Amino acid sequence: METVSEQRCFGGVQGFYSHTSAETKTGMRFAVFQPPQAKDSPVPVLYYLAGLTCTEETATIKAGAQRLAAEYGLMLVMPDTSPRGAGIDGEDVDWDFGTGAGFYLDATEVPWSENYRMYSYITRELPELIAENFPVKSGTAGIFGHSMGGHGALTIALKNPDQFKSVSAFAPICAPGQCPWGEKALGNYLGEDRSNWASYDATELVKQRATDQHILIDQGADDQFLEQELHPHLFEKACKASGQALTLRFHEGYDHSYYFIQTFMADHLTHHAKILGSL
């Protein structure tokens, strides 16, 4: 692991780091905010997954999460959204597929399967790297995200409830098997057999079993992608059927932007801090 930069921030340290990933077989970058409490003892860690076209810098700069994370003693880890520079023909053609659009899954279709392994990167390789290099309190990890990253947070948490104790999302893609963004990504990464898509579809996953997690979702009522791409009502229906605890909140006047995320970031950090024991 190499340090790209480190700056003082709310009494802690905001850093950017890089390493060569065994999962993606490319260089990867990620950001870590270490709260001031991390100087004295290990702290809970919260992973934030960003959306389409974003990088490790997007939420780090725009979300306004560091102030409250410093107060609560939460470490924030913000990875990139896909491999970069894999050399795959067509990876940079579309904004909603390929570079910047890894969808937090392990691709099975050639040529994507060699490098596009963001699920394994987020659930195994990156947590191991963080644990080796930062003062993380064992067994106290949470995950949240926005849009495509909200999809990633929900699916990863539902499949790994013992690893990620807390979960929330801003405007997540709740049913990727039933929206254009998801159909494009899952079809190309996982193949045409839709039965293979279910393991990366939060609505389908929650139908199979409920977890002990209490899921928080915030959604802007004026989100331009709400009707066609996000489908929180489908996830809500599936949660009710399976008994999954869910708080789904709609907010009039808010869209899909980071102004929306900034507005409700404190609620999400409080949600995670309570569950992870830093409040």
Side-chain angles (χ1 to χ4, degrees):
M1 187 189 82
E2 296 184 3
T3 300
V4 177
S5 65
E6 289 184 334
Q7 285 84 32
R8 193 78 167 162
C9 182
F10 290 105
V13 177
Q14 178 62 63
F16 290 89
Y17 308 92
S18 65
H19 73 115
T20 300
S21 168
E23 290 290 350
T24 70
K25 298 179 175 60
T26 65
M28 294 293 291
R29 291 169 59 105
F30 60 93
V32 176
F33 172 70
Q34 298 182 69
Q37 296 88 338
K39 293 182 294 185
D40 301 318
S41 62
V43 295
V45 59
L46 183 55
Y47 291 82
Y48 178 92
L49 307 183
L52 291 165
T53 76
C54 295
T55 72
E56 74 285 352
E57 292 185 329
T58 308
T60 306
I61 295 171
K62 292 183 176 182
Q66 289 93 337
R67 182 190 62 80
L68 203 56
E71 180 180 333
Y72 288 165
L74 289 172
M75 183 179 297
L76 301 176
V77 178
M78 300 183 177
D80 202 350
T81 54
S82 77
R84 295 182 188 270
I88 299 173
D89 186 31
E91 68 180 335
D92 297 324
V93 173
D94 296 327
W95 68 274
D96 56 354
F97 179 75
T99 300
F103 268 79
Y104 304 102
L105 52 75
D106 285 349
T108 58
E109 293 295 293
V110 176
W112 310 101
S113 56
E114 182 74 9
N115 308 101
Y116 279 69
R117 296 182 51 80
M118 289 300 292
Y119 175 81
S120 290
Y121 179 74
I122 297 297
T123 60
R124 292 202 296 265
E125 184 174 12
L126 184 58
E128 290 174 2
L129 187 68
I130 296 299
E132 290 172 1
N133 292 277
F134 300 93
V136 174
K137 187 177 180 181
S138 178
T140 57
I143 192 165
F144 68 148
H146 171 233
S147 194
M148 177 188 72
H151 141 78
L154 292 176
T155 56
I156 287 171
L158 288 169
K159 293 166 73 171
N160 302 274
D162 292 336
Q163 181 177 4
F164 297 100
K165 308 297 186 182
S166 60
V167 56
S168 70
F170 299 95
I173 303 172
C174 289
Q178 301 181 60
C179 73
W181 283 343
E183 289 178 333
K184 181 176 182 178
L186 300 185
N188 282 285
Y189 289 136
L190 303 176
E192 295 182 0
D193 186 349
R194 286 176 174 257
S195 66
N196 295 325
W197 300 7
S199 64
Y200 296 107
D201 186 315
T203 296
E204 296 302 316
L205 284 169
V206 83
K207 289 177 181 178
Q208 299 171 18
R209 64 164 185 166
T211 71
D212 292 333
Q213 301 149 312
H214 189 123
I215 300 171
L216 170 64
I217 293 177
D218 277 308
Q219 173 63 62
D222 289 2
D223 190 319
Q224 62 269 42
F225 303 113
L226 176 57
E227 295 299 325
Q228 186 172 9
E229 303 287 0
L230 305 180
H231 300 317
H233 63 289
L234 296 179
F235 186 67
E236 181 181 34
K237 181 179 178 181
C239 285
K240 287 180 178 178
S242 68
Q244 174 65 54
L246 169 68
T247 298
L248 171 61
R249 309 189 302 184
F250 285 87
H251 304 280
E252 294 296 328
Y254 288 93
D255 61 9
H256 201 68
S257 71
Y258 267 83
Y259 299 112
F260 157 63
I261 294 171
Q262 289 173 18
T263 303
F264 300 101
M265 177 57 71
D267 291 351
H268 284 246
L269 292 179
T270 301
H271 168 79
H272 289 277
K274 287 179 179 178
I275 295 169
L276 299 177
S278 59
L279 262 182

